[in-house]
Amino acid sequence: MEDCLAKKMEITVSEAEKRTGRNAMNIQETYTAYLIETRAVESQSEGQCAPVDSLWRRYSEFELLRNYLSVTYPHIVVPPLPEKRADFVWHKLSADNMDPDFVERRRIGLENFLLRVASHPILCQDKIFYLFLTQEGGWKEMVNETGFQLKADSRLKALNATFRVKNPDKRFTELKHYSDELQSVISHLLRVRARVADRLYGVYKVHGNYGRVFSEWSAIEKEMGDGLQSAGHHMDVYAASIDDILEEEEHYADQLKEYLFYAEALRAVCRKHELMQYDLEMAAQDLTSKKQQCEELATGTVRTFSLKGMTSKLFGQETPEQREAKLKVLEEQIQEGEEQLKSKNLEGRDFVKSAWADIERFKEQKNHDLKEALISYAVMQISMCKKGIQVWTNAKECFSKM
Amino acid sequence: AAGVPKPLPSSGPKSLREMPHPLATSSSEEMGPALTPSPDLLLPRSIADKDLSLPNGTPVDTSSPASSSSLLNRLQLDDDLDGETRDLFVTVDDPKKHVCTMETYITYRVTTKTTRAEFDLPEYSVRRRYQDFDWLRNKLEESQPTHLIPPLPEKFVVKGVVDRFSEEFVETRRKALDKFLKRITDHPVLSFNEHFNVFLTAKDLNAYKKQGMALLSKMGESVKYVTGGYKLRNRPLEFAAIGEYLDTFSLKLGTIDRIAQRIIKEQLEYLVELREYGPVYSTWGGLEVELSEPLEGVSACIGNCCTALEELSEDMTEDFLPVLREYILYSESMKNVLKKRDQVQAEYEAKLEAVALKKEDRPKVPTDVEKCQDRVECFNADLKADMERWQNNKRQDFRQLLMGMADKNIQYYEKCLTAWESIIPLLQDKPETK
């Protein structure tokens, strides 16, 4: 972590701005642009601070960056972006992407993403990432020039591999299982939490009605009037307090969401492993069958049925010269194949080693972050309880003066 | 069979002329001879009498005689029943279910402790069921029409919605019945009512009830102010104000009842979601290693909050709502008393008018018109005194009720606070390095 970018550079996503422009298809659209500000951290900043550099990026550019990183570093659990569309909303929250609260939370999420990447020992060294932060114009072209899209594995290929791979590393199978379960449980949690928030909102708001009726009632009372009136005011305070409480809780929900999306990043690494392993298995299989063919040709025995064998039987045997030529080709192919297999094996082992190192790093990060999230959630609940006690104690005092 | 009904210091059977005004301070001497308990009433001669039993034969357990001599020495009759000079204490408790061939019902134990001379003994313990209370209330309304009679909890319950033998329902009812009797006990006039006395003391109330019916027709015991057909032109300002107050008051209480019900409903829906929420943390904990304990802790914590919330909703349902409804019923019966008063006044004014129209040179007003005037004045006085008492009690009752509501909410939050504070150390705990 000593060399990571985060230590050398201050990064913030400080502003969000609504923009209109023409997209690739020349259609007018509205989108939000985010201001990224960076400043070099002087190890001993006496006197002036380094100047602040800034540039604007929109969400789709962040997506492009992340895609690039995922493809270029398939053995890394790449930090996720905040959600594209508002999900798991409870009724009062807007599902509108242009809603200022959503934009604000997204701004924080994007900043978090950049900081995560900048703190990653490997990712932070990436040139494209650095340019994303520092060079506004022409960045897109540079990313495309890396040709990373060509390296991307097709979804279909990956799915195929998942089903057909025979001997994946057991740890990855377990990890895949874990990330599926994690996704499922966090989704469930977020859904129920949203419903809980909805209901809690209802409970608090109905208390506001006490405010009005106590006020009306106090009008016809003599001695009881003042006590009722002031108690009613506290009921209004109580009803209003839920807005801030639930807004704060959204940050907790966002922390959970990050790990929900992280689960997908974990899955991506497992998929890559499965792909590589499948590729390896296919290559080994291919090599074996070629060696077999070689043997058959050399000895003249046909051990397996083949169309070639049939045709040669039907249309006559090959000439010895033809057989020689074939053998030679096969032997070349086998040699190539063996070298390829060797390098694939090496690749696979390297992948497993480096992926697993990053996964261990990720696990520690996850445990630390989620613990912090749970603590902050408990602190929020404690604060909510204390506010409740305060309000009702105040109300009780008013009632006692009735 | 009971003989002549005891004359009591109320505007009951005695002629109003002979009666001292209820608001006038009364001394023991005036009351003296009238208060010798009638020997003909069915009262147990001895508390140790083992024959005490309910109409259906179930034996009644009676309290052991307390040292009564010291209590008897404190004979003091006072209209003014503050805490120091109180001489009558009534409690309703110990509900018991009775299963008979014809029906199943609940009886409550009514315990009386007193030094009043109207009571033969210093202590009584009888069992009564709801219909007995209902009978008492009707008798009080009949015999004390100028007074505000406290309400009873609702008679009928919606079948299938409420289980009238459930602990919660019985307890809620018991509290309401206890309140009912205590309010009568505190009333300087109602507490001396004969029917009330019998209710508290009679071994066989049903027998008395039957007698009462016969007596009613013979002796014209209840002064029925059913004058019929008289319409009041103008309600006096002060009573109009009371009427308006009661209208607005019961309206506001109705609103508060609806709000409270809505809150309970929302709380229960919140509880449903919380009950699903907590266990998900536990499921998650099962997936994790290092986070297992913290997640389990959060799950347990939410479970504790669920329990606390359940208790809060229960308390509000059992303690808060019934009292609100009681006061709404109270207001309704009070408005009826106001209407009765109006009728008495209307009768008087009509009769007065009739006399004036005759234009005869009568030196004095006919006696029946005078009687009407007295009735009006008495009624007004009783009602005003009761209103004042009612306002005071209402203020105390609502003060207690609303403080209680605040208290329950404070307790709920305190329970939740404790739960969350206790898991902070668990969450911050560093795992042992292996």
Side-chain angles (χ1 to χ4, degrees):
Chain A
M1 280 283 269
E2 300 80 31
D3 286 299
C4 75
L5 194 61
K7 295 253 168 146
K8 298 188 222 158
M9 185 191 252
E10 244 175 61
I11 304 168
T12 55
V13 177
S14 52
E15 275 173 51
E17 209 178 76
K18 222 187 213 175
R19 300 256 181 98
T20 44
R22 294 200 173 269
N23 67 6
M25 294 188 280
N26 209 32
I27 296 169
Q28 185 94 309
E29 60 169 2
T30 315
Y31 64 92
T32 311
Y34 299 88
L35 183 67
I36 302 174
E37 288 184 321
T38 51
R39 172 164 62 194
V41 173
E42 303 294 326
S43 39
Q44 266 158 28
S45 41
E46 284 289 349
Q48 304 141 326
C49 267
V52 173
D53 280 326
S54 67
L55 46 75
W56 292 91
R57 294 265 185 236
R58 54 186 292 190
Y59 188 84
S60 57
E61 291 178 272
F62 280 85
E63 277 184 308
L64 185 59
L65 172 65
R66 191 178 185 274
N67 287 341
Y68 160 78
L69 290 172
S70 304
V71 172
T72 315
Y73 304 90
H75 57 293
I76 301 289
V77 184
V78 178
L81 284 172
E83 55 191 351
K84 190 163 188 151
R85 266 167 286 277
D87 213 344
F88 303 110
V89 287
W90 58 281
H91 91 279
K92 222 219 146 204
L93 281 194
S94 173
D96 175 19
N97 281 7
M98 289 293 154
D99 179 71
D101 284 333
F102 177 77
V103 169
E104 173 59 17
R105 294 212 326 279
R106 192 191 248 191
R107 181 193 66 73
I108 295 169
L110 291 174
E111 185 177 290
N112 185 54
F113 166 75
L114 292 177
L115 290 171
R116 290 265 194 220
V117 177
S119 335
H120 192 284
I122 294 167
L123 296 177
C124 72
Q125 296 176 40
D126 186 276
K127 190 97 206 256
I128 295 288
F129 174 60
Y130 184 78
L131 291 171
F132 179 87
L133 296 172
T134 53
Q135 190 175 312
E136 188 157 17
W139 177 80
K140 262 201 216 158
E141 287 74 16
M142 273 188 258
V143 183
N144 291 329
E145 271 168 30
T146 62
F148 79 93
Q149 277 111 341
L150 298 169
K151 285 192 247 167
D153 300 310
S154 82
R155 269 299 203 175
L156 197 60
K157 204 167 142 205
L159 198 63
N160 186 49
T162 304
F163 283 127
R164 297 214 179 152
V165 69
K166 294 205 182 87
N167 280 319
D169 184 309
K170 258 219 174 89
R171 292 177 298 173
F172 282 93
T173 313
E174 278 170 22
L175 185 67
K176 188 174 78 168
H177 185 70
Y178 167 78
S179 58
D180 284 342
E181 303 268 284
L182 187 68
Q183 258 186 326
S184 166
V185 85
I186 297 184
S187 299
H188 190 192
L189 194 63
L190 286 168
R191 271 197 312 275
V192 184
R193 194 213 68 93
R195 293 204 304 262
V196 166
D198 234 339
R199 291 302 179 192
L200 190 61
Y201 183 81
V203 172
Y204 270 75
K205 287 302 178 189
V206 178
H207 279 85
N209 292 323
Y210 275 147
R212 194 180 55 241
V213 75
F214 283 170
S215 182
E216 291 166 3
W217 182 8
S218 72
I220 58 167
E221 296 292 342
K222 289 177 217 134
E223 293 137 330
M224 276 169 57
D226 287 337
L228 272 176
Q229 177 89 357
S230 44
H233 160 74
H234 290 299
M235 290 293 97
D236 286 332
V237 169
Y238 181 72
S241 67
I242 192 66
D243 295 304
D244 285 343
I245 289 168
L246 287 178
E247 205 189 289
E248 231 197 305
E249 259 193 43
E250 279 311 308
H251 294 297
Y252 171 69
D254 284 338
Q255 286 174 295
L256 292 180
K257 273 182 215 170
E258 193 191 9
Y259 277 91
L260 174 68
F261 303 142
Y262 252 127
E264 182 52 46
L266 269 180
R267 276 296 258 111
V269 176
C270 295
R271 266 200 304 271
K272 184 67 185 180
H273 166 75
E274 283 169 346
L275 248 173
M276 289 179 79
Q277 180 63 18
Y278 179 68
D279 212 24
L280 185 67
E281 284 170 9
M282 286 294 104
Q285 198 178 341
D286 190 53
L287 188 64
T288 309
S289 99
K290 284 208 162 78
K291 282 187 176 165
Q292 219 169 60
Q293 275 179 47
C294 214
E295 201 198 306
E296 283 168 17
L297 268 177
T299 59
T301 54
V302 180
R303 245 182 286 157
T304 55
F305 176 81
S306 75
L307 199 59
K308 246 216 175 106
M310 280 308 295
T311 52
S312 58
K313 273 219 163 132
L314 286 171
F315 298 106
Q317 292 266 358
E318 300 165 310
T319 63
E321 294 83 20
Q322 283 173 325
R323 218 190 311 157
E324 263 316 307
K326 267 204 200 127
L327 255 172
K328 200 151 191 199
V329 167
L330 266 175
E331 276 168 4
E332 271 174 33
Q333 283 179 344
I334 287 169
Q335 204 175 28
E336 255 182 66
E338 280 193 332
E339 274 172 32
Q340 265 189 23
L341 194 63
K342 223 187 198 174
S343 69
K344 279 200 164 115
N345 239 317
L346 210 63
E347 252 180 63
R349 278 207 295 270
D350 279 343
F351 177 88
V352 167
K353 188 160 161 231
S354 49
W356 209 256
D358 196 56
I359 285 162
E360 290 298 331
R361 181 206 61 82
F362 167 77
K363 276 187 188 166
E364 263 195 59
Q365 175 199 296
K366 174 205 81 178
N367 287 336
H368 173 267
D369 288 350
L370 288 173
K371 240 193 208 174
E372 290 294 316
L374 289 174
I375 291 172
S376 75
Y377 184 67
V379 168
M380 277 183 235
Q381 301 305 307
I382 288 170
S383 157
M384 179 171 89
C385 290
K386 285 189 175 164
K387 279 190 202 158
I389 291 171
Q390 184 62 62
V391 159
W392 282 105
T393 306
N394 292 340
K396 185 179 173 188
E397 223 196 283
C398 295
F399 291 138
S400 74
K401 298 201 181 117
M402 268 167 57
Chain B
V4 178
K6 285 186 325 208
L8 292 169
S10 76
S11 31
K14 234 181 174 174
S15 157
L16 285 169
R17 286 255 151 129
E18 299 168 66
M19 286 302 309
H21 197 284
L23 286 182
T25 50
S26 43
S27 58
S28 314
E29 294 76 37
E30 265 181 52
M31 304 289 182
L35 289 168
T36 319
S38 160
D40 296 326
L41 282 175
L42 295 168
L43 294 172
R45 287 295 150 199
S46 143
I47 256 183
D49 188 350
K50 299 277 191 297
D51 293 346
L52 291 173
S53 58
L54 282 179
N56 68 356
T58 330
V60 163
D61 56 328
T62 55
S63 50
S64 55
S67 123
S68 31
S69 48
S70 55
L71 290 172
L72 282 167
N73 288 338
R74 272 186 57 228
L75 254 179
Q76 190 183 2
L77 268 158
D78 217 309
D79 261 345
D80 184 66
L81 290 165
D82 62 3
E84 287 158 28
T85 57
R86 205 177 262 203
D87 54 4
L88 177 65
F89 299 86
V90 177
T91 316
V92 177
D93 62 6
D94 189 34
K96 275 198 169 64
K97 191 163 157 181
H98 300 265
V99 184
C100 318
T101 38
M102 293 300 287
E103 55 174 347
T104 305
Y105 60 91
I106 307 266
T107 63
Y108 304 84
R109 178 175 65 181
V110 178
T111 314
T112 308
K113 288 192 171 70
T114 182
T115 57
R116 288 190 185 178
E118 290 88 346
F119 295 85
D120 280 348
L121 299 166
E123 278 197 40
Y124 293 91
S125 183
V126 296
R127 295 211 74 96
R128 299 284 181 248
R129 54 186 289 192
Y130 182 92
Q131 65 187 39
D132 298 332
F133 286 83
D134 196 37
W135 168 88
L136 173 62
R137 191 172 191 282
N138 289 333
K139 293 317 262 183
L140 286 174
E141 271 196 322
E142 281 170 16
S143 55
Q144 318 273 181
T146 61
H147 288 287
L148 302 174
I149 316 294
L152 273 179
E154 275 149 39
K155 191 175 202 159
F156 299 110
V157 287
V158 184
K159 265 191 201 158
V161 176
V162 183
D163 172 17
R164 58 193 182 94
F165 298 112
S166 76
E167 255 186 63
E168 295 85 23
F169 178 80
V170 171
E171 176 58 16
T172 303
R173 209 173 226 207
R174 182 202 67 77
K175 282 193 204 142
L177 294 175
D178 183 80
K179 196 83 210 264
F180 169 72
L181 291 184
K182 283 186 160 74
R183 279 173 171 150
I184 299 170
T185 307
D186 288 348
H187 196 287
V189 174
L190 295 180
S191 62
F192 286 94
N193 183 283
E194 172 199 1
H195 303 295
F196 183 52
N197 186 307
V198 172
F199 175 90
L200 292 177
T201 60
K203 182 170 83 167
D204 183 356
L205 190 63
N206 285 336
Y208 177 79
K209 284 186 198 180
K210 290 193 186 108
Q211 277 168 31
M213 296 300 281
L215 217 65
L216 190 70
S217 47
K218 277 188 206 162
M219 304 300 293
E221 176 199 284
S222 79
V223 185
K224 291 193 175 183
Y225 285 105
V226 180
T227 46
Y230 293 101
K231 255 222 167 106
L232 186 67
R233 265 178 234 122
N234 288 309
R235 205 182 237 185
L237 232 61
E238 58 185 327
F239 294 108
I242 292 174
E244 272 170 40
Y245 170 82
L246 288 175
D247 279 336
T248 311
F249 177 70
S250 53
L251 210 69
K252 294 307 148 195
L253 285 192
T255 306
I256 293 174
D257 181 270
R258 276 192 301 280
I259 295 171
Q261 275 187 69
R262 177 80 190 276
I263 289 175
I264 291 169
K265 175 168 170 279
E266 296 282 341
Q267 278 172 345
L268 291 176
E269 288 178 346
Y270 172 55
L271 188 61
V272 166
E273 303 297 349
L274 271 186
R275 285 225 169 94
E276 192 183 327
Y277 185 51
V280 182
Y281 281 99
S282 194
T283 306
W284 188 359
L287 280 183
E288 301 286 340
V289 175
E290 204 181 304
L291 293 174
S292 176
E293 265 185 51
L295 288 167
E296 281 295 338
V298 171
S299 180
C301 197
I302 294 172
N304 288 337
C305 293
C306 285
T307 309
L309 183 60
E310 223 181 339
E311 285 165 11
L312 174 64
S313 299
E314 260 173 40
D315 282 347
M316 289 299 284
T317 307
E318 287 165 26
D319 296 334
F320 187 78
L321 291 178
V323 176
L324 275 184
R325 289 179 189 149
E326 220 171 76
Y327 262 92
I328 295 175
L329 289 171
Y330 218 155
S331 306
E332 291 310 306
S333 76
M334 284 160 73
K335 284 194 262 188
N336 285 333
V337 177
L338 273 177
K339 284 189 195 134
K340 276 192 230 155
R341 191 219 68 89
D342 286 348
Q343 293 213 304
V344 170
Q345 184 179 333
E347 188 185 348
Y348 167 63
E349 284 175 358
K351 289 200 171 143
L352 201 62
E353 243 183 63
V355 166
L357 285 172
K358 283 194 183 149
K359 284 180 190 163
E360 287 171 17
D361 285 319
R362 283 181 181 242
K364 67 168 186 157
V365 180
T367 41
D368 67 328
V369 180
E370 267 187 356
K371 271 197 185 145
C372 266
Q373 187 183 18
D374 282 333
R375 268 200 225 142
V376 175
E377 284 173 2
C378 227
F379 209 135
N380 289 350
D382 282 349
L383 201 51
K384 277 206 282 207
D386 272 10
M387 247 338 265
E388 210 181 289
R389 189 173 299 109
W390 182 86
Q391 283 283 16
N392 248 332
N393 288 339
K394 173 209 78 183
R395 180 162 149 242
Q396 279 177 41
D397 283 345
F398 275 97
R399 184 171 172 275
Q400 195 181 33
L401 183 73
L402 292 168
M403 281 177 75
M405 169 173 93
D407 246 335
K408 291 186 186 99
N409 277 280
I410 291 170
Q411 280 163 34
Y412 159 73
Y413 278 113
E414 280 180 345
K415 285 177 203 162
C416 293
L417 180 66
T418 306
W420 285 105
E421 280 182 334
S422 69
I423 63 152
I424 292 274
L426 175 70
L427 294 176
Q428 290 176 325
D429 197 27
K430 293 265 183 292
E432 291 160 14
T433 42
K434 290 183 183 157

